[in-house]
Amino acid sequence: MQLDSLQTQHQFHVRQRIRMMVNQYEVRAVAADGTEGELLAFAQQKRLAFKEQVTIYTDDSKQQPLLGFKARQRLDLGATYDVTDHAGTPIGLFRKDFAQSLLRSTWHVEQAGLPQITGQERSMPVALLRRFVDSLSWLPYHFDFTAGGQPVFSVIKKWGLRDRYVVEVPHPQIDRRLVIAMAIGLDALQGR
């Protein structure tokens, strides 16, 4: 998919594939009937890496990188992740706010030309249950990302055996590649 077409997307699906040694994710457009449509991107992350890095490709052949994100530090609870395009040009960054995330996961997203975007778990009760009752850690979580009180995007986890998300992007200027990186990052990095 061309970047111009990707930027027109206001909603897409992210689904994790079940694999033994890697995390894999499909990012799909939303079809007219609301189901998963055309493949927009495919991501792969090695598990148990000392320095997190995820490459996102145009499809599952993994021949053409679209973007990627990489931690600046090794094993840092509040690490910053730089998001770059296929040529290494910066798109933006995201980072976990470790202190605020003790009770309710909080992430900050930055893109040049936009105010800082903050994303937080929508439900405080669900956030607390997930943290303090181990048997309920499977509860779905939803994140709302805002800037200046205005919605930028949201990531809504769906019920199911596999991790599946619906991503809604009402803000016209946020780079969809940055949104895709953050959505995948939420699943790949949330438990760390």
Side-chain angles (χ1 to χ4, degrees), residues 96 107 130 141 185-192:
K96 189 169 190 174
W107 292 82
R130 286 183 47 249
Y141 48 84
L186 283 175
D187 188 85
L189 307 170
Q190 186 60 21
R192 297 182 187 182

Side-chain angles (χ1 to χ4, degrees), residues 122-189:
R122 184 179 293 169
S123 171
M124 178 64 90
V126 170
L128 292 172
L129 283 171
R130 286 183 47 249
R131 280 160 182 71
F132 299 114
V133 182
D134 286 339
S135 63
L136 296 178
S137 62
W138 53 268
L139 283 172
Y141 48 84
H142 311 312
F143 279 82
D144 295 311
F145 289 82
T146 62
Q150 298 299 312
V152 178
F153 67 97
S154 61
V155 179
I156 302 159
K157 187 172 183 181
K158 297 298 189 180
W159 291 93
L161 296 175
R162 292 186 303 189
D163 292 341
R164 294 181 314 118
Y165 303 87
V166 173
V167 180
E168 297 175 354
V169 191
H171 195 284
Q173 293 153 333
I174 184 79
D175 192 314
R176 297 327 191 242
R177 297 171 299 175
L178 184 57
V179 174
I180 288 170
M182 184 73 253
I184 291 169
L186 283 175
D187 188 85
L189 307 170

Side-chain angles (χ1 to χ4, degrees), residues 59-130:
D59 60 34
D60 58 2
S61 72
K62 299 185 282 185
Q63 297 299 311
Q64 185 177 353
L66 178 65
L67 69 134
F69 62 87
K70 184 177 184 178
R72 288 183 183 172
Q73 310 90 318
R74 293 176 190 251
L75 299 174
D76 183 2
L77 297 174
T80 297
Y81 298 86
D82 293 302
V83 181
T84 58
D85 69 9
H86 68 283
T89 305
I91 296 171
L93 62 86
F94 60 87
R95 64 183 166 79
K96 189 169 190 174
D97 187 321
F98 179 73
Q100 285 192 1
S101 294
L102 291 174
L103 294 178
R104 191 178 193 178
S105 292
T106 302
W107 292 82
H108 301 289
V109 179
E110 296 179 22
Q111 175 184 316
L114 295 180
Q116 180 173 284
I117 301 160
T118 299
Q120 198 168 51
E121 283 182 272
R122 184 179 293 169
S123 171
M124 178 64 90
V126 170
L128 292 172
L129 283 171
R130 286 183 47 249

